Amino acid sequence: MGIGWAHIGTSITASFLASLVECVEALTVVLAVGSVRGWRSALIGSASAIAVLLLIIAALGTALTHIPLHILQLTVGTLLLLFGLRWLRKAILRAAGLIPLHDEAAAFSKNTAAMRQHGNLPAAWDKIAFAAAFNITMLEGTEVVFIVIAIGAGRAGTLLPASLGAVAALLVVTALGFILHRPLARVPENTLKFIVGVLLSAFGTFWVGEGLHLQWPAADWSILALIAAYLLLALATVPLCRNRSQTVASIP
């Protein structure tokens, strides 16, 4: 089966938005480390982690070609569905006001204060700055790698579009970080997570169906229908959660 434009477009979009969220969170910590401990070690640490992650993508992409396609689709589809539903659940709860929104400015202040507690700066190489930047980039980047592999592994030729979406997100966030030198607090992160949760859940459902040899109506265009269904369901769930929390709070 050939790769449809709907599949390519949604692969790039899902990968780009998911990677954008993770890159913004990593940028906040790297900026805090660099502003306090120095940019040289922080940037080298972050760049080293990115290089490791790219090697992991290349190695996994090659290894996955040896796994039967239906097993791969069923496995990555299940994992992607669970991953997407986790993101979507948290986004719904945040939209309903049940858990607080993620605040990049507050996270920046917290990480800046933590870096200042490590004492005086070394004359040249700063192992603390390197380790902190490397660790956060690896932590957030590992989720990006999983998303890229899961989106791109279900069909031959889709790993490249998914990878391009992730690289584009990295370049956008890196450029904004260099230009602004402050966390991207105005990025509507919960909205992005809401959208990404919908997209990943739709992709996961589609791959599980493919792995079970389900014949989707309209082939790849069914992904758009799944996205619409998950979006409508999620939007309907937000006021239900909000009303339920208000009802519970009003009980003496």
Side-chain angles (χ1 to χ4, degrees):
M1 185 185 298
I3 308 172
W5 286 109
H7 204 107
I8 293 175
T10 50
S11 295
I12 294 175
T13 302
S15 180
F16 175 81
L17 294 178
S19 302
L20 190 67
V21 171
E22 303 296 347
C23 288
V24 166
E25 293 182 356
L27 174 68
T28 299
V29 178
V30 173
L31 286 174
V33 174
S35 62
V36 175
R37 306 290 303 185
W39 293 104
R40 179 172 175 267
S41 299
L43 292 177
I44 292 176
S46 186
S48 299
I50 291 172
V52 172
L53 292 168
L54 290 175
L55 291 175
I56 292 174
I57 291 177
L60 287 177
T62 302
L64 291 175
T65 59
H66 301 290
I67 301 176
L69 183 58
H70 71 282
I71 295 177
L72 188 60
Q73 289 172 331
L74 187 58
T75 302
V76 300
T78 301
L79 293 175
L80 197 58
L81 178 59
L82 294 174
F83 197 73
L85 290 176
R86 180 172 69 90
W87 273 40
L88 191 55
R89 174 182 172 275
K90 289 184 177 180
I92 290 172
L93 293 177
R94 288 192 180 99
L98 297 179
I99 58 177
L101 297 174
H102 186 76
D103 189 340
E104 290 300 332
F108 178 77
S109 299
K110 178 182 177 181
N111 284 287
T112 300
M115 285 294 105
R116 290 198 175 103
Q117 294 176 357
H118 288 287
N120 296 327
L121 300 178
W125 181 250
D126 189 343
K127 289 187 283 187
I128 293 175
F130 176 88
F134 181 88
N135 288 339
I136 188 60
T137 306
M138 281 295 297
L139 178 64
E140 303 295 347
T142 299
E143 291 198 25
V144 173
V145 168
F146 167 75
I147 291 169
V148 169
I149 293 295
I151 291 174
R155 184 168 298 168
T158 55
L159 184 59
L160 179 59
S163 300
L164 291 177
V167 171
L170 174 63
L171 293 176
V172 168
V173 172
T174 301
L176 291 175
F178 273 111
I179 294 170
L180 300 176
H181 276 83
R182 63 172 182 263
L184 305 181
R186 293 187 177 182
V187 172
E189 191 168 332
N190 192 61
T191 301
L192 288 178
K193 288 183 176 181
F194 197 100
I195 296 171
V196 170
V198 168
L199 292 174
L200 297 185
S201 299
F203 261 102
T205 302
F206 183 82
W207 287 139
V208 168
E210 290 276 286
L212 295 173
H213 303 291
L214 177 66
Q215 296 297 317
W216 291 103
D220 287 351
W221 292 100
S222 297
I223 295 177
L224 300 181
L226 290 170
I227 291 172
Y230 274 109
L231 180 60
L232 291 174
L233 180 61
L235 290 175
T237 304
V238 172
L240 292 176
C241 291
R242 186 183 297 119
N243 293 337
R244 183 175 181 182
S245 67
Q246 292 173 349
T247 302
V248 172
S250 64
I251 298 176

